[in-house]
Amino acid sequence: MVSSRYSPPPYPPKLPPQPSQPTTKTSLSYLPRRSRALSLLLLAILLLIYLHLTNNFSSSPSTLLHKNIPWKRYAYIQHATSTAQLCNSVMVFEALARFGSKAERVLVYPAAWDTQIASLTDRDSQLLVKAREWYGVRLVPLEGMGVTESDSGKMQEKGEEERKRKRKNATVTKFIAWKQTRYERVLYLDADVTVLKHLDELFLLPPSAHVAMMRAHWMLPEKRTLASNLILLQPSEEDYERLMTASRAEDSREAGDTDVEILNRFYGDSAMVLPHQSYGLLTREFRSQDHTQYLGTPLQPWNPEQALQEASLVHFLDEPFPKPWVMWPHALYGEMHPRCRGEDCRDKDIWVGLYDDFRKRRKVSGKGDVRRVLWLIDAGYLRIVVGAGA
């Protein structure tokens, strides 16, 4: 700090005259001809490198636009065996398109469904056509893939064994991702999610990562197991047959093994482990009072806004709270939503906002949207165009 007693001189002090310095000539014209040619060549090379980099990469962080990446070799894959799953899958594809994903999109569904829209109530056909026409999804009908009952409150009333059987029949269809050998890499996502960013960066992981999954962090440290809600894999007919054989084995059927148990037997020791903070955020984390398992340390403070900002997607998991497309009693909602911590209600606001956002985007699948349906005749089939959601 300058002292209050200090007073600058009234005028700049005079400096003694300096001896004149010879001017240094730095222009290329003063260099020898050979050196000048090499310098120009170096400048040209640097300019070409700069133009190549700026032409191949976008400054926008929201998408990968590298022109040399063969995006047609990569694909997101969804499977649907019920109308509810189909609607959720269309919502996932809509989000990927909205966030500028470059990889292809694939939907596997029962061959019993078709794309011939018969009426306003033919929701399955409407959603299949919308996925194909709006979001460029490649539709893959599969023979022998059964149609299952949509999730509803009635499922809670069924016996434990019946629910295990239905869950096993539905989840082993994840193995179909290994059959998509037209792609070098496939990324499977559960459909009960809200996508916050595209996940194209996962396709660029080292090729040595044949399978990449996350740890089920909520089971740590007692149990170290992989979670199957997101799987990056390299398709292989051989691996597909091995997985399906394991699922049909008698000991596996008797134990009621789902895809989680089978995948852990095959890849538990070899899969690349992905960071769950980026790809495995669960809605119940906002209801938790202890975030050590998620953060990996008790020393790091919990910041719900930061957790949401770092996540690429959020998985709806709040058992016994039902999924967001199932209506629940108001009393249950009052019991399950996060509590404010003093005046800090960020956890509650984010949790409620995630459920409300999901329902709003899915609302156009309901009966209330019939007024917005437009009938068009296109390419010889009856096409129904609905709103921005599923």
Side-chain angles (χ1 to χ4, degrees), residues 69-360:
I69 295 177
W71 290 113
K72 289 187 177 297
R73 299 179 185 177
Y74 309 125
Y76 294 87
I77 187 169
Q78 294 272 288
H79 75 263
T81 58
S82 69
T83 302
Q85 287 182 333
L86 179 56
C87 185
N88 296 343
S89 294
V90 174
M91 292 172 65
V92 169
F93 291 132
E94 181 277 327
L96 291 173
R98 176 161 36 93
F99 291 122
S101 169
K102 298 298 178 182
E104 295 199 347
R105 297 150 205 159
V106 177
L107 175 63
V108 180
Y109 63 96
W113 293 345
D114 59 48
T115 55
Q116 301 301 315
I117 302 174
S119 68
L120 283 172
T121 59
D122 188 359
R123 294 299 294 146
D124 298 331
S125 297
Q126 292 175 31
L127 292 170
L128 289 174
V129 170
K130 184 174 184 179
R132 182 182 64 192
E133 299 298 320
W134 286 42
Y135 309 123
V137 177
R138 187 171 71 89
L139 302 180
V140 180
L142 189 67
E143 295 289 345
M145 187 177 184
V147 179
T148 61
E149 181 181 349
S150 295
D151 296 333
S152 65
K154 295 180 180 179
M155 287 295 293
Q156 305 296 330
E157 302 170 4
K158 295 183 180 293
E160 181 66 20
E161 292 301 321
E162 177 68 9
R163 285 191 286 115
K164 279 186 177 180
R165 185 186 68 80
K166 286 186 176 292
R167 185 175 64 174
K168 176 179 173 60
N169 290 340
T171 56
V172 294
T173 55
K174 292 181 183 180
F175 299 159
I176 296 169
W178 272 265
K179 199 174 177 63
Q180 309 306 309
T181 53
R182 67 183 290 170
Y183 301 105
E184 289 184 5
R185 259 193 170 141
V186 164
L187 182 58
Y188 168 82
L189 301 174
D190 273 355
D192 53 346
V193 299
T194 284
V195 177
L196 304 174
K197 309 166 188 173
H198 73 64
L199 298 87
D200 286 4
E201 69 277 3
L202 291 178
F203 295 111
L204 308 183
L205 289 176
S208 57
H210 297 287
V211 173
M213 303 168 68
M214 293 174 293
R215 293 279 183 210
H217 64 272
W218 58 92
M219 296 184 178
L220 295 172
E222 291 79 11
K223 187 176 182 180
R224 298 179 63 83
T225 184
L226 299 172
S228 65
N229 53 325
L230 182 149
I231 310 171
L232 179 71
L233 60 103
Q234 294 178 5
S236 163
E237 284 281 0
E238 181 181 353
D239 288 349
Y240 170 74
E241 292 298 336
R242 291 170 61 223
L243 290 167
M244 293 303 294
T245 299
S247 70
R248 291 189 292 261
E250 185 175 352
D251 56 346
S252 178
R253 293 199 308 269
E254 290 179 356
D257 288 347
T258 62
D259 61 282
V260 177
E261 287 81 12
I262 296 173
L263 289 172
N264 272 274
R265 289 208 303 269
F266 278 82
Y267 305 111
D269 297 327
S270 62
M272 173 184 282
V273 178
L274 299 173
H276 60 262
Q277 289 91 346
S278 297
Y279 308 109
L281 180 59
L282 308 178
T283 51
R284 71 181 181 194
E285 195 65 41
F286 298 101
R287 295 171 46 238
S288 176
Q289 298 299 313
D290 183 4
H291 303 280
T292 302
Q293 292 174 314
Y294 182 79
L295 298 174
T297 173
L299 303 178
Q300 182 177 345
W302 168 248
N303 185 331
E305 294 173 334
Q306 181 180 349
L308 188 66
Q309 184 178 13
E310 293 175 351
S312 294
L313 74 166
V314 181
H315 188 187
F316 288 92
L317 188 61
D318 282 290
E319 293 180 348
F321 203 64
K323 297 294 185 179
W325 58 90
V326 179
M327 297 304 296
W328 56 69
H330 185 74
L332 180 61
Y333 170 80
E335 294 175 6
M336 296 296 292
H337 72 67
R339 302 290 181 243
C340 295
R341 301 175 183 179
E343 296 183 356
D344 186 356
C345 294
R346 290 179 299 168
D347 285 290
K348 178 183 177 181
D349 293 342
I350 291 174
W351 188 86
V352 172
L354 286 168
Y355 275 87
D356 287 348
D357 169 74
F358 188 96
R359 289 199 195 92
K360 288 177 182 177

